[in-house]
Amino acid sequence: QIQLVESGGDSAPAGGSLTLSCAPSTYSYNTYCMGWFRQAPGKERDWVAAINSDGTIKYAESGKGRFTISRNNANNTVYLQMNSLKPEDSARYYCAAELTCYFTGSPAEADFYYWGQGTQVAVSS
């Protein structure tokens, strides 16, 4: 099995930028679809973005045009670059992995098998 470790969460002002990283514990990263989710206190865990093993990418409407998901196969790391941050982006961000993303609909929490512990993002107005 693989373990996922997120990093890069921080406090940031509205309009600022943060880049989150997710590093699997093994080199199986290349064969997996990787996703980012976020959850604020008292709210559901929402999908943010996903990137398949072939590089296919899909974004949720919430971050479209502001967020960029990417993967670096050399260091086995997936990234979420967040620009133009808004206070509503404040949440705990989770990295997740699944064998394959089909993108027939919006990825859901139940579609991913492996999960990290999350990294906290706080955006002030």
Side-chain angles (χ1 to χ4, degrees), residues 38-46 88 90:
R38 67 187 186 185
Q39 186 171 27
K43 297 184 179 180
E44 297 179 348
R45 186 172 297 187
D46 294 327
E88 51 262 44
S90 298

PDB file of all heavy atoms in Angstrom, residues 38-46 88 90:
ATOM      1  N   ARG A  38     -10.946  19.087  -0.115  1.00  0.00           N
ATOM      2  CA  ARG A  38     -10.849  20.003   1.008  1.00  0.00           C
ATOM      3  C   ARG A  38     -12.108  19.913   1.867  1.00  0.00           C
ATOM      4  O   ARG A  38     -13.191  19.612   1.377  1.00  0.00           O
ATOM      5  CB  ARG A  38     -10.612  21.444   0.551  1.00  0.00           C
ATOM      6  CG  ARG A  38     -11.774  22.073  -0.201  1.00  0.00           C
ATOM      7  CD  ARG A  38     -11.359  23.429  -0.753  1.00  0.00           C
ATOM      8  NE  ARG A  38     -12.465  24.143  -1.365  1.00  0.00           N
ATOM      9  CZ  ARG A  38     -12.345  25.304  -2.000  1.00  0.00           C
ATOM     10  NH1 ARG A  38     -11.148  25.877  -2.108  1.00  0.00           N
ATOM     11  NH2 ARG A  38     -13.417  25.887  -2.529  1.00  0.00           N
ATOM     12  N   GLN A  39     -11.929  20.193   3.148  1.00  0.00           N
ATOM     13  CA  GLN A  39     -13.041  20.122   4.078  1.00  0.00           C
ATOM     14  C   GLN A  39     -12.893  21.198   5.145  1.00  0.00           C
ATOM     15  O   GLN A  39     -11.888  21.249   5.844  1.00  0.00           O
ATOM     16  CB  GLN A  39     -13.124  18.744   4.735  1.00  0.00           C
ATOM     17  CG  GLN A  39     -14.338  18.552   5.614  1.00  0.00           C
ATOM     18  CD  GLN A  39     -14.491  17.121   6.071  1.00  0.00           C
ATOM     19  OE1 GLN A  39     -13.514  16.382   6.179  1.00  0.00           O
ATOM     20  NE2 GLN A  39     -15.722  16.719   6.331  1.00  0.00           N
ATOM     21  N   ALA A  40     -13.896  22.042   5.254  1.00  0.00           N
ATOM     22  CA  ALA A  40     -13.960  23.043   6.299  1.00  0.00           C
ATOM     23  C   ALA A  40     -14.775  22.488   7.462  1.00  0.00           C
ATOM     24  O   ALA A  40     -15.598  21.588   7.278  1.00  0.00           O
ATOM     25  CB  ALA A  40     -14.589  24.329   5.769  1.00  0.00           C
ATOM     26  N   PRO A  41     -14.571  22.998   8.669  1.00  0.00           N
ATOM     27  CA  PRO A  41     -15.312  22.492   9.825  1.00  0.00           C
ATOM     28  C   PRO A  41     -16.816  22.556   9.612  1.00  0.00           C
ATOM     29  O   PRO A  41     -17.353  23.580   9.183  1.00  0.00           O
ATOM     30  CB  PRO A  41     -14.872  23.421  10.960  1.00  0.00           C
ATOM     31  CG  PRO A  41     -13.512  23.879  10.554  1.00  0.00           C
ATOM     32  CD  PRO A  41     -13.586  24.022   9.057  1.00  0.00           C
ATOM     33  N   GLY A  42     -17.493  21.453   9.898  1.00  0.00           N
ATOM     34  CA  GLY A  42     -18.932  21.394   9.766  1.00  0.00           C
ATOM     35  C   GLY A  42     -19.443  21.247   8.353  1.00  0.00           C
ATOM     36  O   GLY A  42     -20.657  21.271   8.141  1.00  0.00           O
ATOM     37  N   LYS A  43     -18.549  21.102   7.386  1.00  0.00           N
ATOM     38  CA  LYS A  43     -18.952  20.994   5.997  1.00  0.00           C
ATOM     39  C   LYS A  43     -18.493  19.668   5.401  1.00  0.00           C
ATOM     40  O   LYS A  43     -17.668  18.964   5.973  1.00  0.00           O
ATOM     41  CB  LYS A  43     -18.402  22.160   5.183  1.00  0.00           C
ATOM     42  CG  LYS A  43     -18.917  23.521   5.621  1.00  0.00           C
ATOM     43  CD  LYS A  43     -18.408  24.632   4.724  1.00  0.00           C
ATOM     44  CE  LYS A  43     -18.952  25.976   5.147  1.00  0.00           C
ATOM     45  NZ  LYS A  43     -18.458  27.066   4.276  1.00  0.00           N
ATOM     46  N   GLU A  44     -19.037  19.345   4.250  1.00  0.00           N
ATOM     47  CA  GLU A  44     -18.669  18.127   3.556  1.00  0.00           C
ATOM     48  C   GLU A  44     -17.272  18.249   2.962  1.00  0.00           C
ATOM     49  O   GLU A  44     -16.771  19.343   2.730  1.00  0.00           O
ATOM     50  CB  GLU A  44     -19.675  17.826   2.441  1.00  0.00           C
ATOM     51  CG  GLU A  44     -21.084  17.568   2.925  1.00  0.00           C
ATOM     52  CD  GLU A  44     -22.041  17.309   1.787  1.00  0.00           C
ATOM     53  OE1 GLU A  44     -21.661  17.544   0.623  1.00  0.00           O
ATOM     54  OE2 GLU A  44     -23.164  16.872   2.047  1.00  0.00           O
ATOM     55  N   ARG A  45     -16.670  17.096   2.728  1.00  0.00           N
ATOM     56  CA  ARG A  45     -15.387  17.072   2.048  1.00  0.00           C
ATOM     57  C   ARG A  45     -15.631  17.170   0.545  1.00  0.00           C
ATOM     58  O   ARG A  45     -16.280  16.313  -0.053  1.00  0.00           O
ATOM     59  CB  ARG A  45     -14.621  15.786   2.385  1.00  0.00           C
ATOM     60  CG  ARG A  45     -13.208  15.748   1.825  1.00  0.00           C
ATOM     61  CD  ARG A  45     -12.426  14.548   2.347  1.00  0.00           C
ATOM     62  NE  ARG A  45     -12.250  14.599   3.788  1.00  0.00           N
ATOM     63  CZ  ARG A  45     -11.501  13.756   4.486  1.00  0.00           C
ATOM     64  NH1 ARG A  45     -10.848  12.789   3.858  1.00  0.00           N
ATOM     65  NH2 ARG A  45     -11.411  13.871   5.798  1.00  0.00           N
ATOM     66  N   ASP A  46     -15.123  18.216  -0.054  1.00  0.00           N
ATOM     67  CA  ASP A  46     -15.385  18.509  -1.456  1.00  0.00           C
ATOM     68  C   ASP A  46     -14.159  18.246  -2.314  1.00  0.00           C
ATOM     69  O   ASP A  46     -13.030  18.555  -1.923  1.00  0.00           O
ATOM     70  CB  ASP A  46     -15.812  19.967  -1.637  1.00  0.00           C
ATOM     71  CG  ASP A  46     -17.145  20.277  -0.993  1.00  0.00           C
ATOM     72  OD1 ASP A  46     -18.014  19.392  -0.953  1.00  0.00           O
ATOM     73  OD2 ASP A  46     -17.321  21.423  -0.525  1.00  0.00           O
ATOM     74  N   GLU A  88     -13.015  31.705   1.348  1.00  0.00           N
ATOM     75  CA  GLU A  88     -13.752  30.458   1.264  1.00  0.00           C
ATOM     76  C   GLU A  88     -12.888  29.267   0.863  1.00  0.00           C
ATOM     77  O   GLU A  88     -13.358  28.126   0.887  1.00  0.00           O
ATOM     78  CB  GLU A  88     -14.938  30.586   0.291  1.00  0.00           C
ATOM     79  CG  GLU A  88     -14.558  31.145  -1.064  1.00  0.00           C
ATOM     80  CD  GLU A  88     -14.827  32.635  -1.176  1.00  0.00           C
ATOM     81  OE1 GLU A  88     -14.498  33.364  -0.216  1.00  0.00           O
ATOM     82  OE2 GLU A  88     -15.371  33.064  -2.207  1.00  0.00           O
ATOM     83  N   SER A  90     -10.386  28.491   2.659  1.00  0.00           N
ATOM     84  CA  SER A  90      -9.903  28.005   3.948  1.00  0.00           C
ATOM     85  C   SER A  90     -10.501  26.638   4.242  1.00  0.00           C
ATOM     86  O   SER A  90     -11.721  26.468   4.237  1.00  0.00           O
ATOM     87  CB  SER A  90     -10.263  28.986   5.059  1.00  0.00           C
ATOM     88  OG  SER A  90      -9.648  30.243   4.858  1.00  0.00           O
TER      89      SER A  90
END
